[in-house]
Amino acid sequence: MSTKPDSDDELAGTEQPFVQHLMELRDRLLYSVIGLAVCMALLAFWPGPSGLIDLIAIPIRAHMPPDARLIAVGVFSPFFVPLKVLAMAAVLLSLPWWMYQLWSFIAPGLYSHEKRFAVPLIFLGSLLAYAGIAFVQFFVLDKMFGFIQKFTPASVAATPDIASYVEAILGLYLAFGLAFQVPIVVVLLVKMGMVSVQKLKDFRGYFIVISFIIAAVVTPPDVISQLALAVPMCVLYEAGIWGAQIFIKRTQAEDEEGEGEKTAS
């Protein structure tokens, strides 16, 4: 006796062979690389590698003498450092495209309510990453270099190497971009049932301590940058708890609505 698939199963008939999954993954990776290459070409045309270097150097040059410039100690630094900055800028510019390709790969295996939940998270995750990097560029670096320059002796000329400068700020970009994903992680933990909202509230004090420890490890040894990372993490943790509460209320409302429709039918 043949059995028909459950009509309530939204994923019925969507199973794909393993080879098809690999081919789909290959295509999505190819599209992602093409998008990255397009962004690199656009940024190479305008503002160009030199323009990008000038942009990221604004915070530190504001605290250097008017005629001072960053130096290139390495033989190949004038060539490779701008290319590195160009590649990182292209990755940031193409981040929404990468997230869209990831979404397109996993979407066929999700239920409709999971799709409604995932799309806002993908958009919010990209937005928070950009917010973290902008926070570094327009606030943290200026305050951090202003604080550091106060300790520079008058007999010392502060002329940082461009390679070490780019490496330091890219590390900050990555740290803040990931740290600003705290609300996403909190909401996902609640959605997967790994933790409750009440436990998150009880864990608040421990998270504050953990935030300051992480900030002390991943940021330069100055108070400004450590506070600039730890305080937003704590605020975003609270935002994650608030978002998780909203998610629970909406989930309960949808469940009640679904049960009401079943009862009526």
Side-chain angles (χ1 to χ4, degrees):
M1 183 176 179
S2 61
T3 58
K4 296 182 179 180
D6 188 357
S7 59
D8 293 334
D9 188 358
E10 303 173 27
L11 300 181
T14 62
E15 296 83 0
Q16 296 182 5
F18 180 70
V19 176
Q20 282 187 299
H21 282 295
L22 290 180
M23 294 178 62
E24 178 70 13
L25 178 60
R26 179 203 62 187
D27 293 341
R28 294 302 169 186
L29 289 175
L30 179 61
Y31 296 152
S32 300
V33 172
I34 292 175
L36 177 63
V38 170
C39 289
M40 287 189 67
L42 292 175
L43 290 173
F45 178 74
W46 185 86
S50 298
L52 291 172
I53 290 291
D54 293 338
L55 176 64
I56 66 174
I58 290 176
I60 192 170
R61 293 201 64 185
H63 298 280
M64 296 172 62
D67 57 342
R69 295 185 297 176
L70 298 174
I71 63 174
V73 176
V75 177
F76 301 106
S77 294
F79 177 76
F80 285 113
V81 172
L83 287 182
K84 183 177 181 180
V85 173
L86 176 64
M88 292 301 300
V91 170
L92 294 176
L93 183 62
S94 61
L95 180 61
W97 176 248
W98 282 72
M99 298 298 291
Y100 171 75
Q101 297 303 322
L102 175 62
W103 160 250
S104 298
F105 178 70
I106 65 175
L110 298 178
Y111 293 99
S112 59
H113 68 278
E114 292 175 332
K115 293 179 182 179
R116 291 195 301 269
F117 175 77
V119 171
L121 284 187
I122 292 175
F123 174 77
L124 182 60
S126 300
L127 187 62
L128 287 173
Y130 286 137
I133 294 170
F135 184 65
V136 173
Q137 178 67 22
F138 298 107
F139 177 78
V140 176
L141 294 179
D142 179 68
K143 301 301 181 182
M144 181 180 71
F145 291 130
F147 178 81
I148 293 175
Q149 289 296 326
K150 292 179 180 179
F151 293 90
T152 303
S155 58
V156 176
T159 54
D161 171 43
I162 182 61
S164 60
Y165 173 73
V166 168
E167 182 179 354
I169 65 171
L170 289 182
L172 287 175
Y173 288 160
L174 179 61
F176 277 77
L178 292 176
F180 272 53
Q181 303 301 312
V182 168
I184 305 296
V185 176
V186 170
V187 174
L188 286 176
L189 289 175
V190 173
K191 175 176 172 53
M192 292 185 295
M194 298 180 64
V195 66
S196 65
V197 173
Q198 185 58 45
K199 288 184 178 179
L200 289 172
K201 293 180 179 179
D202 295 338
F203 191 73
R204 181 183 289 118
Y206 298 99
F207 185 82
I208 294 175
V209 176
I210 293 174
S211 299
F212 278 89
I213 293 176
I214 293 175
V217 172
V218 303
T219 61
D222 65 280
V223 178
I224 301 298
S225 58
Q226 292 176 8
L227 289 175
L229 180 59
V231 173
M233 284 183 66
C234 296
V235 174
L236 291 170
Y237 183 79
E238 295 296 328
I241 294 177
W242 176 72
Q245 291 175 327
I246 294 178
F247 163 74
I248 290 176
K249 291 180 180 179
R250 291 190 60 181
T251 303
Q252 291 175 348
E254 291 177 358
D255 292 342
E256 293 175 358
E257 181 179 353
E259 292 178 1
E261 291 178 356
K262 291 182 180 179
T263 303
S265 61

